[in-house]
Amino acid sequence: MILATFEPYSRRGLGFTAAQQNGATCLHHDLIESALASRAIDNVHVFADPRVAPIDHAAVAELNARLGRSALVVCRLNSLVKRSQSEPYVFFCRAGQLASVCHLRASVSPSLFPICAVLHAAAWPRLLADCISLLLLAQPYDVILASSQAGAQAFRSALADAASLLASQGAEVAAARLPIVVQPLGASSLDLPGLDRSTARSLLNLPADSVLALYFGRVSEFYKADLFPLILAFRRARDLAAHPAFLVIAGQCSDPDYAQSLDAFAGTLGLAGNIRILLNVAPTVKTLLFAAADIFVSPVDNIQETFGIALLEAMAARLPVVASDWSGYREIIADNHTGFLVPTLWNSPAAAHASWQAPYWFGPTVEGEIAPHPTVDSPPLTDPLPRLILDPALRASFGQAGYDRFHARYSWTAVLPRLVSLWSDLRQRCPHPPQFPPTAHSGYQSFFAHYATAVYDTAWEVAPNYGASPDLRDALAQLAEKWAPGASSLLCRVASSPTTLGQLQAQYGAKPVDLLIKRGLLSLVPGPCGSLHASTSSPTLPDTSEA
């Protein structure tokens, strides 16, 4: 089985890269690595256009070297249609990309490939508009993969709203047309052989005699959690326990001003010697932090959070967890068994206000606008911490229970067989090879072909358009080679013998041929039935050349 995706791979063994910027990206990288390492799938093909997103070839080479084979393959985006006709792909993407991928597929063939879209977050500005598109474009072999019941419920509500809007316009489409499968995702253990708590603390220069509480996640009040209440709760817990305690806040941060305000707040509370804030840390430092910690704390209350990879990593590290009773968090943590869940409060007027403004926003501002309003109940956030600080046996009991729960439910060994079974089912239900309808949908060909005088035919001949002078031909060939590699050879072929447009495109690819025609170095000669005076809008399949 081969997964196809648009998601770039950028993780490297050392250093902070784009792969560590958010949980969804980390999860995507973990899944690719684990699925390939276990040979649960054969290959992953990443379709990319370097003009849109840079390709980290070094990261790809590093992963393939670790795997001992070229399992992760970077392909040109314009080869997707051609490859899909021979490779039985399952397309893997984020739920926020699903409408675009469905649109791409609809412009070529509805059976080009099945799609599995992972619901990392159920909030983005055009959510309702995308749901309308999905109800119209999704196929029976597509699925939304939700990592939690909470996330699935949110997306079902959005699909139901979309179906109601369509019904109000006379289009009866069932919201259940796009199935949502709830399947918790996995995480990798953060293990370093021979690493114990005292060694990790020594390497990080953290106090050896304190109970250490760790928050690891995005350091952002708008897109993860406001951490001021955590610092205040820690201060109260330390005083109640009357025992040495230390708090580490670490993770990705793009707002240094917010991090500085957290630090200043801690200083105001007299915690300057009891807290450390570490931003944008490398993977090795992350591993050391989990090894050094005694307690993991995560007071998340943001609507972009549907699961919680950091909680899984904490459980894999045998840490008791104090987490908010929020979204998928409550499905991961067994309250009073692997940790404690802290009550949260929802603000309905703020959500209603954000709902009507959401279509106006661009980027992840929906979460940011709603973020100040939901609340983690402050006193209950304090209550579990003194108990865990003072009771090492309770910490050990919760930590072991969490470790067992992680390996039974959330390790990649447990998760991957269920994912592979789902992907195999989607692949079997999707016709292969793809069936190409006589008329493509949603294509610029059908929208705009009538703008031109005529639509050219690949059977037309191509002729040189720069005169008979050899000197001029050679000079133009050198210049054209700078425009498109291989262009000089292309010009020589046209000059030496009659050639059709289709023959040139088959040998050199469409882009360099079209470029030389557009810039006037080549011209098209219509055949006996051809004419430059009759426009047509007959559809053609998109270019599938590698050029």
Side-chain angles (χ1 to χ4, degrees):
M1 179 185 297
I2 302 176
L3 290 185
T5 184
F6 291 145
E7 193 85 20
Y9 183 86
S10 57
R11 176 177 286 170
R12 303 199 192 179
L14 299 174
F16 180 82
T17 68
Q20 283 82 45
Q21 287 186 1
N22 59 64
T25 304
C26 289
L27 176 61
H28 181 86
H29 285 67
D30 282 349
L31 189 151
I32 284 178
E33 293 171 10
S34 300
L36 292 176
S38 66
R39 295 187 181 268
I41 59 174
D42 300 310
N43 295 94
V44 173
H45 288 183
V46 179
F47 288 89
D49 185 339
R51 298 171 301 177
V52 177
I55 301 169
D56 193 335
H57 291 287
V60 173
E62 184 179 308
L63 175 60
N64 284 332
R66 293 202 308 270
L67 296 171
R69 69 189 200 280
S70 296
L72 182 63
V73 181
V74 177
C75 308
R76 287 184 179 272
L77 177 61
N78 60 6
S79 71
L80 175 59
V81 174
K82 183 176 181 180
R83 286 178 177 269
S84 296
Q85 296 175 54
S86 58
E87 302 285 6
Y89 286 137
V90 174
F91 205 95
F92 186 75
C93 66
R94 305 187 191 201
Q97 300 170 321
L98 180 55
S100 296
V101 178
C102 284
H103 188 173
L104 178 154
R105 183 181 60 186
S107 68
V108 181
S109 164
S111 60
L112 196 62
F113 42 67
I115 307 172
C116 177
V118 179
L119 186 66
H120 295 295
W124 58 87
R126 290 182 51 81
L127 174 60
L128 190 58
D130 280 355
C131 284
I132 292 173
S133 296
L134 293 176
L135 291 178
L136 298 174
L137 296 175
Q139 297 298 322
Y141 31 81
D142 298 334
V143 69
I144 293 283
L145 183 67
S147 54
S148 67
Q149 293 287 353
Q153 181 178 334
F155 206 77
R156 285 192 188 102
S157 297
L159 287 173
D161 275 7
S164 295
L165 283 172
L166 287 170
S168 70
Q169 300 300 313
E172 295 290 340
V173 181
R177 185 170 186 268
L178 179 59
I180 301 175
V181 174
V182 178
Q183 170 56 61
L185 297 173
S188 302
S189 297
L190 302 173
D191 293 330
L192 283 179
L195 180 65
D196 57 25
R197 183 167 284 118
S198 61
T199 302
R201 292 192 183 190
S202 176
L203 291 170
L204 294 169
N205 193 27
L206 293 170
D209 59 347
S210 295
V211 175
L212 194 151
L214 171 66
Y215 166 86
F216 195 98
R218 197 181 303 186
V219 182
S220 169
E221 62 180 318
F222 296 120
Y223 308 122
K224 195 69 172 183
D226 195 337
L227 298 176
F228 282 91
L230 172 59
I231 295 173
L232 183 58
F234 176 75
R235 160 65 192 270
R236 292 170 178 161
R238 185 202 63 173
D239 293 348
L240 288 170
H243 186 283
F246 198 90
L247 174 64
V248 174
I249 292 174
Q252 186 269 339
C253 181
S254 58
D255 184 0
D257 290 340
Y258 177 67
Q260 290 172 10
S261 68
L262 292 174
D263 201 34
F265 183 61
T268 301
L269 296 177
L271 292 175
N274 299 88
I275 188 172
R276 185 175 303 173
I277 299 176
L278 303 172
L279 306 179
N280 302 328
V281 299
T284 49
V285 175
K286 176 181 178 179
T287 300
L288 289 172
L289 287 169
F290 276 83
D294 296 295
I295 304 166
F296 189 80
V297 188
S298 185
V300 164
D301 57 5
N302 194 283
I303 61 171
Q304 62 83 30
E305 191 68 72
T306 62
F307 191 49
I309 298 300
L311 302 189
L312 304 187
E313 293 170 333
M315 292 159 65
R318 288 187 170 89
L319 297 178
V321 177
V322 177
S324 46
D325 183 20
W326 179 265
S327 185
Y329 271 37
R330 67 170 63 100
E331 299 169 37
I332 296 174
I333 301 303
D335 196 22
N336 286 296
H337 182 61
T338 65
F340 295 107
L341 289 173
V342 180
T344 55
L345 303 170
W346 180 254
N347 187 315
S348 295
H353 181 73
S355 295
W356 71 266
Q357 294 189 65
Y360 170 77
W361 296 323
F362 297 92
T365 46
V366 176
E367 306 101 291
E369 285 294 318
I370 294 180
H373 305 290
T375 303
V376 177
D377 205 0
S378 185
L381 179 59
T382 301
D383 295 342
L385 293 175
R387 288 182 59 188
L388 290 170
I389 289 171
L390 293 173
D391 194 342
L394 182 63
R395 296 200 302 267
S397 173
F398 280 9
Q400 184 61 47
Y403 179 83
D404 294 341
R405 185 177 174 89
F406 167 79
H407 281 283
R409 300 188 181 198
Y410 304 112
S411 67
W412 286 117
T413 303
V415 170
L416 279 173
R418 297 192 286 268
L419 291 180
V420 172
S421 176
L422 173 65
W423 296 334
S424 298
D425 179 62
L426 297 178
R427 185 60 267 175
Q428 289 172 8
R429 286 192 274 133
C430 181
H432 190 79
Q435 301 167 358
F436 293 96
T439 302
H441 301 288
S442 307
Y444 292 129
Q445 163 72 12
S446 60
F447 298 163
F448 303 116
H450 66 284
Y451 280 19
T453 304
V455 175
Y456 59 66
D457 194 311
T458 55
W460 290 359
E461 286 193 4
V462 180
N465 196 36
Y466 42 78
S469 168
D471 292 340
L472 179 59
R473 182 188 64 198
D474 292 344
L476 290 174
Q478 293 179 17
L479 179 61
E481 190 69 25
K482 296 179 181 179
W483 298 343
S488 59
S489 171
L490 191 163
L491 289 173
C492 288
R493 175 172 175 180
V494 172
S496 63
S497 62
T499 308
T500 68
L501 177 62
Q503 290 171 333
L504 283 179
Q505 290 180 338
Q507 181 175 353
Y508 296 97
K511 285 189 176 179
V513 178
D514 292 349
L515 180 64
L516 294 184
I517 293 172
K518 185 172 184 65
R519 293 190 171 175
L521 273 65
L522 298 176
S523 61
L524 291 169
V525 182
C529 298
S531 171
L532 290 181
H533 301 286
S535 180
T536 177
S537 59
S538 57
T540 59
L541 286 178
D543 167 44
T544 58
S545 68
E546 294 283 353

